Amino acid sequence: MKSLLKIAPIIFLFLGCGGSKLQKVLSSGSVVNPSFTVTVPFEYRQGLMVIKASVAGKEGDFILDTGASNVFSKELQQELALQPLDSEMVYGVHGAGQELEYASVGSIKIGDIDFVNTITAIHDLNAIPEIACINVDGIIGANLMRKAIWDIDFKNQKITITSTEDTLDIPVNHKAINFFVGYQGTPSISAKVNGITALNNRIDTGYTGALSLSRVELQKLINKNRISQYIKGNGSTSVGVYGSGKPEPFYHGIIDNLSYGDLELHNTVVSFTGLDQKLLGLKFLKNYRVILNWNIRKAKFIPTTPYNNTEVSTYGFGPSFKENKLYVKSIIDGSSANENGLKIGDQILAINEVDFSTVTQNQWCTSLQNGVVDNAAKTINMTIQRDSVITKLTLNKTVVLQ
């Protein structure tokens, strides 16, 4: 069962244009150690993986993100006195962009492995409330990760980083997938979606959702009569380094047969959003032990828990935080929110007698962590305000897709 998150999945993804200055230097860097193996723990914060790393002798907390290049906070850059090499326009997965400076980092140590002379972008991570909640110094991205083999044990929250797979215990029944490498190092794989090929699906540990395809893939399925069960919504569905994505149509559908290489899934819920958002996110990946080997360009998936995502149950709305207030940012057609007249832009004043008329940053962080309402609840009472008119609504959690 998929109970739809009422808080949008967080996505960190930098996309540049072909031939850019940043693109040409992102492959730089190396590992000092000729042969190495180290196992380090990680923790989950707001659904994302956070590891310890030492930069020029200073230990900090970093999101581990295969869908991004390295990013340092402005505070860390200033503390380390990093001198920018240049600046570049970079873009998030939902199209928003910003010109960022980037710099070379002499040393990033994870455990006793020393990654030297890699590139990092510099960004004000505290400018986005959802990212500020995570309280990190930056992002360790794929341009660094590609210099080693990463064995990510999501169940036991540990990562083995090694120079050779010979150090790893890999079951013979693992599922192997060939991947392609983007300029920033992100591993991308091909998929078969009800028999139709979809290229460039990114293995993205910076996406807290499950499986996502673009609206282009959905239209192909519709045109070829390869999908019969799907629902539509409208609004913003994700948060990136430049804030929330723009309002647009999005969909959830049931895919009868979905395969990534040897890995096969059946009757699986997939989200369709954006024009190029094809992602395998943490809600899916954490059901496996995943080994990413950039040397031979293979991903190996070892199941640890059953992945079961066959329906969508939801109240039908998603909230956003702006200027100490909560607003409705998305609505799903056919849901209780839709049928009761809730609209994008409505201010949320209260849910189940909890006052949201004024919301602090800390309260928003708590909501991100725990949810705006108890996910086990079947009914909620809402008070909203629209154009100075206050209205009370009762919403039921319903199965809108199965």
Side-chain angles (χ1 to χ4, degrees), residues 268-280:
T268 299
V269 173
V270 172
S271 299
F272 297 89
T273 183
L275 298 178
D276 191 38
Q277 188 170 310
K278 293 175 280 187
L279 308 171
L280 289 77

Side-chain angles (χ1 to χ4, degrees), residues 349-383:
L349 299 179
I351 298 178
N352 289 344
E353 308 306 322
V354 177
D355 183 8
F356 287 111
S357 58
T358 300
V359 181
T360 66
Q361 172 71 36
N362 286 340
Q363 288 171 326
W364 177 237
C365 291
T366 299
S367 295
L368 281 172
Q369 183 68 35
N370 301 325
V372 175
V373 297
D374 181 0
N375 200 43
K378 300 300 183 183
T379 301
I380 60 172
N381 296 308
M382 292 183 68
T383 304

Side-chain angles (χ1 to χ4, degrees), residues 195-353:
I196 298 176
T197 300
L199 301 175
N200 299 323
N201 299 269
R202 304 174 186 96
I203 300 174
D204 190 351
T205 59
Y207 174 49
T208 57
L211 298 173
S212 173
L213 292 167
S214 73
R215 296 197 306 272
V216 174
E217 272 66 43
L218 176 61
Q219 192 59 55
K220 290 178 183 177
L221 292 168
I222 293 172
N223 291 344
K224 293 182 178 293
N225 295 317
R226 301 285 181 88
I227 187 170
S228 58
Q229 299 181 73
Y230 59 93
I231 56 172
K232 181 183 178 182
N234 282 282
S236 175
T237 59
S238 62
V239 177
V241 288
Y242 313 112
S244 295
K246 64 181 180 181
E248 59 184 359
F250 63 89
Y251 301 81
H252 302 286
I254 302 287
I255 301 301
D256 299 328
N257 298 289
L258 175 62
S259 62
Y260 301 99
D262 293 339
L263 185 60
E264 296 184 357
L265 304 168
H266 302 284
N267 300 318
T268 299
V269 173
V270 172
S271 299
F272 297 89
T273 183
L275 298 178
D276 191 38
Q277 188 170 310
K278 293 175 280 187
L279 308 171
L280 289 77
L282 279 175
K283 275 203 162 185
F284 171 74
L285 296 173
K286 69 194 317 181
N287 296 276
Y288 298 85
R289 177 182 152 211
V290 179
I291 299 171
L292 298 173
N293 188 333
W294 276 265
N295 296 332
I296 59 174
R297 300 193 175 191
K298 279 189 181 294
K300 296 179 179 178
F301 284 70
I302 302 158
T304 55
T305 55
Y307 179 66
N308 181 27
N309 192 10
T310 58
E311 67 178 40
V312 173
S313 64
T314 181
Y315 297 107
F317 75 96
S320 65
F321 173 71
K322 183 179 180 181
E323 298 177 351
N324 298 110
K325 299 182 188 301
L326 289 191
Y327 296 92
V328 174
K329 68 185 297 185
S330 62
I331 298 287
I332 293 178
D333 291 358
S335 67
S336 185
N338 177 241
E339 292 176 350
N340 280 276
L342 200 64
K343 295 185 179 298
I344 294 172
D346 288 345
Q347 183 186 347
I348 301 170
L349 299 179
I351 298 178
N352 289 344
E353 308 306 322

Side-chain angles (χ1 to χ4, degrees), residues 140-171:
I140 298 296
N143 65 311
L144 178 146
M145 294 179 69
R146 69 192 299 178
K147 307 300 178 182
I149 299 165
W150 295 66
D151 180 354
I152 306 174
D153 184 343
F154 292 95
K155 182 177 181 180
N156 295 304
Q157 293 183 219
K158 63 181 182 180
I159 302 168
T160 298
I161 311 168
T162 183
S163 55
T164 173
E165 283 191 5
D166 293 341
T167 63
L168 305 176
D169 178 18
I170 304 176

